[in-house]
Amino acid sequence: MSISSFAQVIISGKVTNQTDGSPIPYANIGIIRSSVGTISNEDGTFSIRIPEKLIGDTLLFSALGYGKRIVPLQFLNPDLLHSILLHEKTMVLNDVVVSAKREKNKIYQMGNRDVSGGVLETDTLYAGYSTALLIENTEEIKKQGLQFPVYLEKTRLRILRNNLPSFKFRVRLNEVDSTNGHPGADMLQQSFLVESTQRKGWLEFDLSHLKIIVTKPFFVTFEQILDKHDRTLIADGYREFMRAHPERLIIDTIEFEGKKEPHLMIKRGGIDLPGTFIAVTSKDWAAKEFTCFTRQTSFAEWVKVHGIVTATVSVSNQPVTRSERPKPCGDKDVICKATKLCQDFLDETGVNGMQVCVSKNGEIKWSGQFGYSDIQQHTSVTTQTKFRINSISKSLTSLALIKRFFFGGLDLD
């Protein structure tokens, strides 16, 4: 939780389009390389607390598709509502490459699908929390034939649990900063935002219509959009939880890349706190295979983290046309519907892989294999993949007990 100091000022106002005066929603506002930052509301209004020690600094206003504006804080009177005007930027389209070579379209999925926990952003004073996953052509993907340049089709973010009436995320694409390897300049000059009421599962961003060409490794960044109403819900829920369970809040220390860092953690429970939990994996193999950064506010420093966000990106060697997209299942196409149900189940639960077999009177009517038996090695499930029986033994034992009961000789009570 952010804790405000007593010595501070509050700067308020509205961010608008200089051309037509229309409000600019969800603009990034803050002080560069600091924990002070926020996002404008849907109507362009904003309010940001400035600690006394930063009064001599400057406030940066930025929005995708608009030019930036830097204003010295000494010129912003806390007693006034300020109008911040931003210029629209000219959009530069991607180059068009005409090739005589004809090749079959291939789609590749890159990123992390593993889940071992979740992260909840509980900052109720500021806003602009973002998490960025590096997308690069690993050796395993190269073996499948992927080579840059590629077209970006869609990206997905795994939601572990959402406890708000609705939530919003904005996807950004960032270059890799050559000086430090952090997320750098924005590649996408449009505010691409998705609002959802879903409880859990994959949040999908379809970017295929933008025809984005990627020529080198990049970061896919997910920015959580919290307005004043959302932050109030989170603050009230957090205070109520800590009032009822003060013993559950602990400070733990983890070591990452040779540095020990204190982390505020909830010992048990907490999954019902207001907010949106983003799925992550904290397994050592994932930290070695993937690179992930987070920043707490709009212009805070990017920090490399051990917990890898559960997110994927789909790319193809050529733009996918509408005719190539999967067609909806017909009313009588039972196998198509069953296949979609299984794929949706994998997407919604985070299960790595599974086998399905449907039989009637001893005859197999349909079988299918989905996902991976080894997600680290990208080994697909086949008809020969062996799974641990685990709790399926309970079903078999229960069936044996029921049969014994009906044939006599066993009292279930």
Side-chain angles (χ1 to χ4, degrees):
M1 295 286 290
S2 289
I3 301 175
S4 57
S5 62
F6 292 103
Q8 61 185 359
V9 297
I10 299 178
I11 304 297
S12 303
K14 187 173 185 178
V15 185
T16 59
N17 185 323
Q18 183 164 335
T19 303
D20 58 14
S22 60
I24 300 178
Y26 315 126
N28 295 104
I29 307 163
I31 297 176
I32 297 177
R33 293 183 292 277
S34 81
S35 60
V36 177
T38 191
I39 289 177
S40 64
N41 297 311
E42 189 172 3
D43 61 357
T45 60
F46 70 92
S47 179
I48 184 169
R49 297 173 184 266
I50 309 296
E52 187 178 39
K53 65 180 181 179
L54 296 177
I55 293 299
D57 215 312
T58 56
L59 203 57
L60 175 61
F61 296 83
S62 174
L64 292 172
Y66 292 84
K68 297 179 180 179
R69 184 169 182 189
I70 299 176
V71 182
L73 283 164
Q74 60 181 323
F75 297 144
L76 297 175
N77 190 332
D79 298 325
L80 299 176
L81 288 177
H82 298 277
S83 179
I84 306 298
L85 307 178
L86 298 184
H87 274 291
E88 281 191 85
K89 293 169 64 176
T90 302
M91 298 297 295
V92 180
L93 300 179
N94 289 321
D95 294 338
V96 176
V97 180
V98 179
S99 174
K101 183 178 180 181
R102 184 180 180 89
E103 57 182 342
K104 183 179 179 181
N105 182 55
K106 296 180 181 179
I107 297 180
Y108 306 85
Q109 189 176 93
M110 309 167 73
N112 170 44
R113 293 184 70 252
D114 192 66
V115 179
S116 63
V119 173
L120 173 67
E121 176 57 28
T122 56
D123 193 334
T124 59
L125 184 59
Y126 298 116
Y129 176 83
S130 300
T131 181
L133 178 67
L134 178 63
I135 303 297
E136 55 185 341
N137 200 356
T138 62
E139 290 301 321
E140 183 62 35
I141 295 295
K142 287 179 182 178
K143 292 178 182 177
Q144 300 178 33
L146 175 65
Q147 292 182 341
F148 287 110
V150 292
Y151 285 88
L152 184 59
E153 297 297 327
K154 67 179 179 180
T155 183
R156 302 188 303 168
L157 173 66
R158 174 82 179 168
I159 304 300
L160 185 72
R161 176 79 170 265
N162 169 52
N163 298 320
L164 295 174
S166 67
F167 64 94
K168 295 181 283 290
F169 274 92
R170 176 163 53 200
V171 65
R172 308 176 80 128
L173 305 177
N174 295 95
E175 297 178 356
V176 180
D177 191 324
S178 59
T179 61
N180 53 23
H182 293 186
D186 280 296
M187 300 163 53
L188 182 62
Q189 293 300 321
Q190 293 174 254
S191 185
F192 200 89
L193 183 144
V194 170
E195 182 173 4
S196 176
T197 59
Q198 68 187 65
R199 181 80 161 173
K200 61 181 180 179
W202 288 101
L203 182 67
E204 185 171 301
F205 302 79
D206 186 354
L207 305 175
S208 58
H209 64 284
L210 300 176
K211 300 293 189 292
I212 301 171
I213 300 176
V214 179
T215 61
K216 55 187 177 181
F218 66 98
F219 283 96
V220 57
T221 303
F222 301 95
E223 184 178 34
Q224 190 169 9
I225 306 297
L226 294 176
D227 58 22
K228 184 178 180 180
H229 176 69
D230 296 328
R231 295 199 292 272
T232 300
L233 287 177
I234 293 173
D236 292 345
Y238 194 93
R239 279 194 292 266
E240 176 60 26
F241 182 87
M242 293 317 305
R243 184 195 64 77
H245 310 286
E247 76 285 354
R248 295 191 184 181
L249 188 66
I250 62 173
I251 296 179
D252 196 10
T253 302
I254 65 170
E255 185 170 331
F256 178 56
E257 295 192 336
K259 297 180 182 179
K260 291 186 177 180
E261 301 175 353
H263 278 250
L264 207 59
M265 303 178 65
I266 294 175
K267 191 174 182 181
R268 302 186 313 277
I271 193 66
D272 294 320
L273 279 170
T276 306
F277 290 80
I278 304 172
V280 299
T281 182
S282 299
K283 298 175 182 176
D284 290 337
W285 68 263
K288 294 178 181 178
E289 183 173 344
F290 300 106
T291 300
C292 189
F293 287 84
T294 64
R295 68 179 180 188
Q296 297 302 311
T297 60
S298 291
F299 302 111
E301 292 274 16
W302 285 103
V303 178
K304 190 176 182 181
V305 292
H306 181 268
I308 306 300
V309 63
T310 305
T312 65
V313 168
S314 295
V315 298
S316 65
N317 59 337
Q318 55 186 279
V320 177
T321 62
R322 291 297 172 186
S323 61
E324 293 173 303
R325 298 201 174 280
K327 296 180 180 179
C329 299
D331 292 338
K332 297 182 179 181
D333 194 344
V334 180
I335 292 180
C336 177
K337 292 181 178 180
T339 301
K340 188 176 186 306
L341 281 173
C342 293
Q343 192 60 58
D344 288 346
F345 175 78
L346 290 185
D347 290 343
E348 293 173 4
T349 61
V351 172
N352 290 344
M354 67 178 185
Q355 299 162 327
V356 179
C357 184
V358 180
S359 62
K360 184 177 182 180
N361 297 328
E363 180 185 354
I364 295 178
K365 297 295 184 180
W366 173 71
S367 65
Q369 301 81 43
F370 304 88
Y372 299 102
S373 61
D374 188 331
I375 195 169
Q376 298 180 38
Q377 301 298 324
H378 295 282
T379 304
S380 299
V381 172
T382 69
T383 56
Q384 302 303 310
T385 300
K386 294 181 179 180
F387 288 82
R388 295 184 181 275
I389 192 169
N390 291 334
S391 291
I392 299 300
S393 58
K394 298 174 184 177
S395 305
L396 299 177
T397 303
S398 299
L399 179 60
L401 289 172
I402 293 298
K403 291 186 67 174
R404 184 61 177 166
F405 167 75
F406 278 108
F407 285 113
L410 178 67
D411 184 347
L412 291 179
D413 294 326

